[in-house]
Amino acid sequence: MSEIKERIARILERIESLRPQHDCRLMAVSKGQSWERIQAAMDAGVSLFGENRVQECGQKWLVRPHQVELRMIGRLQRNKVKSAIQVFSGIDTIDRETLADTLDRQLADQFSVMIEVNAGEENTKTGMLPAVVREFLETAERWPRLRFDGILAMLPEARDLSLAETKRIRRLMQETAELWRICKSEGWPWAPLDELSMGMTSDFEWALEAGATIVRIGQGIFGPRQ
Ligand SMILES: *Cc1c(COP(=O)(O)O)cnc(C)c1O
């Protein structure tokens, strides 16, 4: 377990050195990881976790220390919404109106959500196309219980590390950050949009440079998934 602590310390150092002027939080993506490993990350000071399956989460996270935030970062089916709002402190993968409808209807109080954006417009990925995000948020007042706290960006994986490929991904990150800033500057009361969740193990340093306020790291902390 000590290697988990060391990896976290190293990542936090990188975050600190790349973003001296802004805060950026580390989200530990604990899908496919044992409770023992999750606890090691908590002991190392991580208080934000991401999971992508409602069922796996309900079994693993029977008790969540109150200072720990657990957010959904995987595709959410509408028939799992009810369980999801019991397990998670927020859902970062709002990608369609029908999901927002269902969620809003099942909630009693305000609830934190994020819009998931398919930044590279890939067929294989979930998320809204960048071109429709602004309009979606503009009309999101119709879901009075949803508070849109940010944007979660899904980016293409680098197929190789050629200069062209690297440039393309970094450009998509810049464009997503720009879209986030534009929407945030609208000042919609229902969409404070304080967070830009972008970057994973292989590309978080680029995401930080582009302006991410949350980076989502799984294997870089825990090693290979079980
Ligand atoms: C699994 C996952 C991550 C973490 O990926 P790693 O490569 O393990 O860092 C981040 N975001 C989402 C949406 C994921 O599903």
mmCIF file of all heavy atoms in Angstrom, residues 12 14-27 48 180-181 184 193-198 207-215:
data_model
loop_
_atom_site.group_PDB
_atom_site.id
_atom_site.type_symbol
_atom_site.label_atom_id
_atom_site.label_comp_id
_atom_site.label_asym_id
_atom_site.label_seq_id
_atom_site.Cartn_x
_atom_site.Cartn_y
_atom_site.Cartn_z
ATOM 1 N N LEU A 12 0.643 14.877 -6.650
ATOM 2 C CA LEU A 12 0.333 16.170 -6.024
ATOM 3 C C LEU A 12 1.457 17.175 -6.242
ATOM 4 O O LEU A 12 1.212 18.361 -6.451
ATOM 5 C CB LEU A 12 0.050 15.989 -4.523
ATOM 6 C CG LEU A 12 -1.261 15.260 -4.190
ATOM 7 C CD1 LEU A 12 -1.388 15.035 -2.687
ATOM 8 C CD2 LEU A 12 -2.485 16.029 -4.710
ATOM 9 N N ARG A 14 3.407 17.244 -8.887
ATOM 10 C CA ARG A 14 3.288 17.685 -10.293
ATOM 11 C C ARG A 14 2.184 18.717 -10.434
ATOM 12 O O ARG A 14 2.330 19.713 -11.129
ATOM 13 C CB ARG A 14 2.968 16.488 -11.227
ATOM 14 C CG ARG A 14 4.113 15.585 -11.516
ATOM 15 C CD ARG A 14 5.337 16.312 -12.026
ATOM 16 N NE ARG A 14 5.216 16.775 -13.404
ATOM 17 C CZ ARG A 14 5.888 17.806 -13.922
ATOM 18 N NH1 ARG A 14 6.733 18.496 -13.172
ATOM 19 N NH2 ARG A 14 5.735 18.140 -15.180
ATOM 20 N N ILE A 15 1.062 18.479 -9.756
ATOM 21 C CA ILE A 15 -0.053 19.417 -9.820
ATOM 22 C C ILE A 15 0.398 20.771 -9.266
ATOM 23 O O ILE A 15 0.187 21.816 -9.880
ATOM 24 C CB ILE A 15 -1.276 18.888 -9.024
ATOM 25 C CG1 ILE A 15 -1.858 17.653 -9.737
ATOM 26 C CG2 ILE A 15 -2.336 19.972 -8.865
ATOM 27 C CD1 ILE A 15 -3.006 16.977 -8.999
ATOM 28 N N GLU A 16 1.042 20.729 -8.137
ATOM 29 C CA GLU A 16 1.521 21.947 -7.485
ATOM 30 C C GLU A 16 2.464 22.713 -8.411
ATOM 31 O O GLU A 16 2.350 23.921 -8.553
ATOM 32 C CB GLU A 16 2.240 21.543 -6.190
ATOM 33 C CG GLU A 16 2.506 22.664 -5.239
ATOM 34 C CD GLU A 16 1.212 23.301 -4.729
ATOM 35 O OE1 GLU A 16 0.207 22.594 -4.584
ATOM 36 O OE2 GLU A 16 1.243 24.517 -4.478
ATOM 37 N N SER A 17 3.373 22.008 -9.064
ATOM 38 C CA SER A 17 4.372 22.717 -9.857
ATOM 39 C C SER A 17 3.799 23.244 -11.171
ATOM 40 O O SER A 17 4.279 24.232 -11.706
ATOM 41 C CB SER A 17 5.581 21.816 -10.128
ATOM 42 O OG SER A 17 5.200 20.763 -10.975
ATOM 43 N N LEU A 18 2.750 22.599 -11.679
ATOM 44 C CA LEU A 18 2.188 23.074 -12.948
ATOM 45 C C LEU A 18 1.111 24.123 -12.757
ATOM 46 O O LEU A 18 0.788 24.856 -13.688
ATOM 47 C CB LEU A 18 1.609 21.898 -13.740
ATOM 48 C CG LEU A 18 2.629 20.996 -14.407
ATOM 49 C CD1 LEU A 18 2.011 19.670 -14.801
ATOM 50 C CD2 LEU A 18 3.233 21.673 -15.625
ATOM 51 N N ARG A 19 0.496 24.160 -11.600
ATOM 52 C CA ARG A 19 -0.602 25.101 -11.379
ATOM 53 C C ARG A 19 -0.403 25.939 -10.128
ATOM 54 O O ARG A 19 -1.226 25.894 -9.230
ATOM 55 C CB ARG A 19 -1.933 24.334 -11.245
ATOM 56 C CG ARG A 19 -2.399 23.623 -12.480
ATOM 57 C CD ARG A 19 -2.768 24.584 -13.597
ATOM 58 N NE ARG A 19 -3.773 25.571 -13.217
ATOM 59 C CZ ARG A 19 -5.076 25.370 -13.199
ATOM 60 N NH1 ARG A 19 -5.572 24.215 -13.497
ATOM 61 N NH2 ARG A 19 -5.900 26.334 -12.887
ATOM 62 N N PRO A 20 0.678 26.716 -10.059
ATOM 63 C CA PRO A 20 0.893 27.447 -8.813
ATOM 64 C C PRO A 20 -0.203 28.466 -8.528
ATOM 65 O O PRO A 20 -0.474 28.775 -7.391
ATOM 66 C CB PRO A 20 2.246 28.124 -9.020
ATOM 67 C CG PRO A 20 2.469 28.131 -10.495
ATOM 68 C CD PRO A 20 1.697 27.001 -11.067
ATOM 69 N N GLN A 21 -0.866 28.970 -9.571
ATOM 70 C CA GLN A 21 -1.806 30.071 -9.325
ATOM 71 C C GLN A 21 -3.261 29.640 -9.171
ATOM 72 O O GLN A 21 -4.106 30.435 -8.829
ATOM 73 C CB GLN A 21 -1.665 31.160 -10.410
ATOM 74 C CG GLN A 21 -2.072 30.755 -11.818
ATOM 75 C CD GLN A 21 -0.998 29.963 -12.546
ATOM 76 O OE1 GLN A 21 -0.619 28.883 -12.105
ATOM 77 N NE2 GLN A 21 -0.525 30.476 -13.658
ATOM 78 N N HIS A 22 -3.573 28.382 -9.441
ATOM 79 C CA HIS A 22 -4.961 27.941 -9.288
ATOM 80 C C HIS A 22 -5.002 26.654 -8.482
ATOM 81 O O HIS A 22 -4.043 25.920 -8.431
ATOM 82 C CB HIS A 22 -5.611 27.626 -10.645
ATOM 83 C CG HIS A 22 -5.552 28.732 -11.612
ATOM 84 N ND1 HIS A 22 -6.535 29.667 -11.744
ATOM 85 C CD2 HIS A 22 -4.597 29.066 -12.518
ATOM 86 C CE1 HIS A 22 -6.194 30.534 -12.678
ATOM 87 N NE2 HIS A 22 -5.014 30.189 -13.166
ATOM 88 N N ASP A 23 -6.163 26.412 -7.943
ATOM 89 C CA ASP A 23 -6.359 25.141 -7.268
ATOM 90 C C ASP A 23 -6.720 24.078 -8.280
ATOM 91 O O ASP A 23 -7.472 24.333 -9.214
ATOM 92 C CB ASP A 23 -7.522 25.246 -6.269
ATOM 93 C CG ASP A 23 -7.030 25.813 -4.949
ATOM 94 O OD1 ASP A 23 -5.793 25.880 -4.770
ATOM 95 O OD2 ASP A 23 -7.867 26.180 -4.116
ATOM 96 N N CYS A 24 -6.185 22.917 -8.106
ATOM 97 C CA CYS A 24 -6.650 21.781 -8.894
ATOM 98 C C CYS A 24 -6.713 20.602 -7.939
ATOM 99 O O CYS A 24 -5.762 20.336 -7.202
ATOM 100 C CB CYS A 24 -5.701 21.476 -10.043
ATOM 101 S SG CYS A 24 -6.233 20.023 -10.971
ATOM 102 N N ARG A 25 -7.839 19.928 -7.933
ATOM 103 C CA ARG A 25 -8.011 18.791 -7.028
ATOM 104 C C ARG A 25 -7.737 17.484 -7.760
ATOM 105 O O ARG A 25 -7.970 17.362 -8.957
ATOM 106 C CB ARG A 25 -9.428 18.772 -6.463
ATOM 107 C CG ARG A 25 -9.605 19.777 -5.330
ATOM 108 C CD ARG A 25 -10.934 19.583 -4.645
ATOM 109 N NE ARG A 25 -12.029 19.876 -5.566
ATOM 110 C CZ ARG A 25 -13.272 19.440 -5.386
ATOM 111 N NH1 ARG A 25 -13.571 18.678 -4.351
ATOM 112 N NH2 ARG A 25 -14.221 19.767 -6.237
ATOM 113 N N LEU A 26 -7.262 16.536 -6.974
ATOM 114 C CA LEU A 26 -7.006 15.203 -7.494
ATOM 115 C C LEU A 26 -8.211 14.321 -7.185
ATOM 116 O O LEU A 26 -8.597 14.184 -6.030
ATOM 117 C CB LEU A 26 -5.751 14.643 -6.819
ATOM 118 C CG LEU A 26 -5.440 13.171 -7.068
ATOM 119 C CD1 LEU A 26 -5.197 12.911 -8.559
ATOM 120 C CD2 LEU A 26 -4.220 12.750 -6.243
ATOM 121 N N MET A 27 -8.794 13.754 -8.252
ATOM 122 C CA MET A 27 -9.837 12.744 -8.056
ATOM 123 C C MET A 27 -9.196 11.377 -8.258
ATOM 124 O O MET A 27 -8.602 11.111 -9.314
ATOM 125 C CB MET A 27 -10.989 12.928 -9.052
ATOM 126 C CG MET A 27 -12.011 11.791 -8.984
ATOM 127 S SD MET A 27 -13.275 11.861 -10.268
ATOM 128 C CE MET A 27 -14.506 12.894 -9.475
ATOM 129 N N LEU A 48 -11.499 13.045 -2.730
ATOM 130 C CA LEU A 48 -12.414 13.060 -3.871
ATOM 131 C C LEU A 48 -12.184 11.782 -4.684
ATOM 132 O O LEU A 48 -11.052 11.504 -5.100
ATOM 133 C CB LEU A 48 -12.140 14.306 -4.729
ATOM 134 C CG LEU A 48 -12.920 14.458 -6.035
ATOM 135 C CD1 LEU A 48 -14.419 14.551 -5.785
ATOM 136 C CD2 LEU A 48 -12.442 15.708 -6.789
ATOM 137 N N TRP A 180 -15.857 25.958 -21.597
ATOM 138 C CA TRP A 180 -16.169 26.023 -20.161
ATOM 139 C C TRP A 180 -16.154 27.484 -19.675
ATOM 140 O O TRP A 180 -17.085 27.929 -19.014
ATOM 141 C CB TRP A 180 -15.151 25.171 -19.400
ATOM 142 C CG TRP A 180 -15.124 25.340 -17.917
ATOM 143 C CD1 TRP A 180 -16.142 25.083 -17.039
ATOM 144 C CD2 TRP A 180 -14.021 25.812 -17.129
ATOM 145 N NE1 TRP A 180 -15.730 25.359 -15.747
ATOM 146 C CE2 TRP A 180 -14.436 25.806 -15.780
ATOM 147 C CE3 TRP A 180 -12.721 26.222 -17.433
ATOM 148 C CZ2 TRP A 180 -13.590 26.209 -14.734
ATOM 149 C CZ3 TRP A 180 -11.885 26.605 -16.391
ATOM 150 C CH2 TRP A 180 -12.316 26.595 -15.069
ATOM 151 N N ARG A 181 -15.126 28.236 -20.068
ATOM 152 C CA ARG A 181 -15.027 29.638 -19.614
ATOM 153 C C ARG A 181 -16.175 30.477 -20.150
ATOM 154 O O ARG A 181 -16.739 31.304 -19.445
ATOM 155 C CB ARG A 181 -13.691 30.254 -20.053
ATOM 156 C CG ARG A 181 -12.543 29.731 -19.241
ATOM 157 C CD ARG A 181 -11.247 30.517 -19.470
ATOM 158 N NE ARG A 181 -10.139 29.706 -18.981
ATOM 159 C CZ ARG A 181 -9.358 28.969 -19.767
ATOM 160 N NH1 ARG A 181 -9.529 28.973 -21.090
ATOM 161 N NH2 ARG A 181 -8.394 28.236 -19.250
ATOM 162 N N LYS A 184 -19.309 29.547 -18.239
ATOM 163 C CA LYS A 184 -19.190 30.029 -16.856
ATOM 164 C C LYS A 184 -19.430 31.540 -16.787
ATOM 165 O O LYS A 184 -20.075 32.037 -15.871
ATOM 166 C CB LYS A 184 -17.787 29.676 -16.338
ATOM 167 C CG LYS A 184 -17.534 30.001 -14.885
ATOM 168 C CD LYS A 184 -16.173 29.445 -14.477
ATOM 169 C CE LYS A 184 -15.647 30.061 -13.189
ATOM 170 N NZ LYS A 184 -16.557 29.925 -12.057
ATOM 171 N N LEU A 193 -20.667 26.311 -12.559
ATOM 172 C CA LEU A 193 -19.586 25.776 -13.407
ATOM 173 C C LEU A 193 -18.179 26.061 -12.883
ATOM 174 O O LEU A 193 -17.300 26.475 -13.638
ATOM 175 C CB LEU A 193 -19.720 26.326 -14.842
ATOM 176 C CG LEU A 193 -21.007 25.965 -15.590
ATOM 177 C CD1 LEU A 193 -21.025 26.649 -16.954
ATOM 178 C CD2 LEU A 193 -21.135 24.452 -15.782
ATOM 179 N N ASP A 194 -17.978 25.832 -11.612
ATOM 180 C CA ASP A 194 -16.654 26.100 -11.054
ATOM 181 C C ASP A 194 -15.603 25.071 -11.471
ATOM 182 O O ASP A 194 -14.417 25.329 -11.346
ATOM 183 C CB ASP A 194 -16.729 26.141 -9.519
ATOM 184 C CG ASP A 194 -17.421 27.406 -9.042
ATOM 185 O OD1 ASP A 194 -17.255 28.445 -9.712
ATOM 186 O OD2 ASP A 194 -18.140 27.350 -8.028
ATOM 187 N N GLU A 195 -16.059 23.912 -11.930
ATOM 188 C CA GLU A 195 -15.096 22.831 -12.178
ATOM 189 C C GLU A 195 -14.945 22.474 -13.658
ATOM 190 O O GLU A 195 -15.930 22.401 -14.400
ATOM 191 C CB GLU A 195 -15.527 21.553 -11.436
ATOM 192 C CG GLU A 195 -15.837 21.736 -9.961
ATOM 193 C CD GLU A 195 -14.620 22.078 -9.104
ATOM 194 O OE1 GLU A 195 -13.480 22.031 -9.621
ATOM 195 O OE2 GLU A 195 -14.826 22.378 -7.917
ATOM 196 N N LEU A 196 -13.706 22.242 -14.038
ATOM 197 C CA LEU A 196 -13.414 21.616 -15.325
ATOM 198 C C LEU A 196 -12.661 20.330 -15.010
ATOM 199 O O LEU A 196 -11.491 20.355 -14.597
ATOM 200 C CB LEU A 196 -12.567 22.535 -16.212
ATOM 201 C CG LEU A 196 -12.107 21.918 -17.533
ATOM 202 C CD1 LEU A 196 -13.294 21.530 -18.425
ATOM 203 C CD2 LEU A 196 -11.189 22.887 -18.293
ATOM 204 N N SER A 197 -13.363 19.197 -15.144
ATOM 205 C CA SER A 197 -12.777 17.898 -14.836
ATOM 206 C C SER A 197 -12.192 17.333 -16.127
ATOM 207 O O SER A 197 -12.930 16.962 -17.041
ATOM 208 C CB SER A 197 -13.874 16.977 -14.271
ATOM 209 O OG SER A 197 -13.410 15.647 -14.203
ATOM 210 N N MET A 198 -10.875 17.311 -16.213
ATOM 211 C CA MET A 198 -10.236 16.943 -17.493
ATOM 212 C C MET A 198 -8.856 16.371 -17.200
ATOM 213 O O MET A 198 -8.128 16.915 -16.381
ATOM 214 C CB MET A 198 -10.157 18.204 -18.370
ATOM 215 C CG MET A 198 -9.634 18.000 -19.764
ATOM 216 S SD MET A 198 -10.032 19.418 -20.848
ATOM 217 C CE MET A 198 -8.812 20.626 -20.321
ATOM 218 N N ALA A 207 -3.761 18.608 -19.391
ATOM 219 C CA ALA A 207 -5.060 19.133 -18.937
ATOM 220 C C ALA A 207 -4.869 20.257 -17.918
ATOM 221 O O ALA A 207 -5.573 21.265 -17.949
ATOM 222 C CB ALA A 207 -5.893 18.002 -18.345
ATOM 223 N N LEU A 208 -3.896 20.065 -17.035
ATOM 224 C CA LEU A 208 -3.600 21.104 -16.043
ATOM 225 C C LEU A 208 -3.191 22.399 -16.724
ATOM 226 O O LEU A 208 -3.641 23.471 -16.363
ATOM 227 C CB LEU A 208 -2.441 20.641 -15.170
ATOM 228 C CG LEU A 208 -2.809 19.791 -13.972
ATOM 229 C CD1 LEU A 208 -1.585 19.092 -13.435
ATOM 230 C CD2 LEU A 208 -3.417 20.677 -12.903
ATOM 231 N N GLU A 209 -2.355 22.271 -17.723
ATOM 232 C CA GLU A 209 -1.905 23.468 -18.430
ATOM 233 C C GLU A 209 -3.050 24.158 -19.147
ATOM 234 O O GLU A 209 -3.065 25.367 -19.281
ATOM 235 C CB GLU A 209 -0.770 23.111 -19.401
ATOM 236 C CG GLU A 209 0.536 22.913 -18.649
ATOM 237 C CD GLU A 209 1.674 22.386 -19.523
ATOM 238 O OE1 GLU A 209 1.481 22.261 -20.748
ATOM 239 O OE2 GLU A 209 2.733 22.093 -18.955
ATOM 240 N N ALA A 210 -4.029 23.360 -19.570
ATOM 241 C CA ALA A 210 -5.175 23.950 -20.266
ATOM 242 C C ALA A 210 -6.183 24.569 -19.293
ATOM 243 O O ALA A 210 -7.058 25.321 -19.704
ATOM 244 C CB ALA A 210 -5.859 22.892 -21.135
ATOM 245 N N GLY A 211 -6.078 24.249 -17.999
ATOM 246 C CA GLY A 211 -6.965 24.890 -17.037
ATOM 247 C C GLY A 211 -7.838 23.966 -16.207
ATOM 248 O O GLY A 211 -8.747 24.443 -15.517
ATOM 249 N N ALA A 212 -7.584 22.676 -16.227
ATOM 250 C CA ALA A 212 -8.410 21.739 -15.446
ATOM 251 C C ALA A 212 -8.393 22.097 -13.958
ATOM 252 O O ALA A 212 -7.363 22.504 -13.421
ATOM 253 C CB ALA A 212 -7.892 20.309 -15.629
ATOM 254 N N THR A 213 -9.544 21.940 -13.297
ATOM 255 C CA THR A 213 -9.616 22.148 -11.848
ATOM 256 C C THR A 213 -9.746 20.819 -11.103
ATOM 257 O O THR A 213 -9.664 20.780 -9.894
ATOM 258 C CB THR A 213 -10.810 23.042 -11.453
ATOM 259 O OG1 THR A 213 -12.021 22.328 -11.717
ATOM 260 C CG2 THR A 213 -10.810 24.352 -12.221
ATOM 261 N N ILE A 214 -10.005 19.763 -11.860
ATOM 262 C CA ILE A 214 -10.007 18.405 -11.301
ATOM 263 C C ILE A 214 -9.324 17.499 -12.325
ATOM 264 O O ILE A 214 -9.651 17.558 -13.511
ATOM 265 C CB ILE A 214 -11.450 17.885 -11.069
ATOM 266 C CG1 ILE A 214 -12.157 18.682 -9.962
ATOM 267 C CG2 ILE A 214 -11.460 16.388 -10.716
ATOM 268 C CD1 ILE A 214 -13.631 18.308 -9.766
ATOM 269 N N VAL A 215 -8.367 16.691 -11.888
ATOM 270 C CA VAL A 215 -7.834 15.650 -12.771
ATOM 271 C C VAL A 215 -8.254 14.296 -12.208
ATOM 272 O O VAL A 215 -8.296 14.113 -10.991
ATOM 273 C CB VAL A 215 -6.300 15.739 -12.945
ATOM 274 C CG1 VAL A 215 -5.924 16.972 -13.759
ATOM 275 C CG2 VAL A 215 -5.572 15.764 -11.604
#
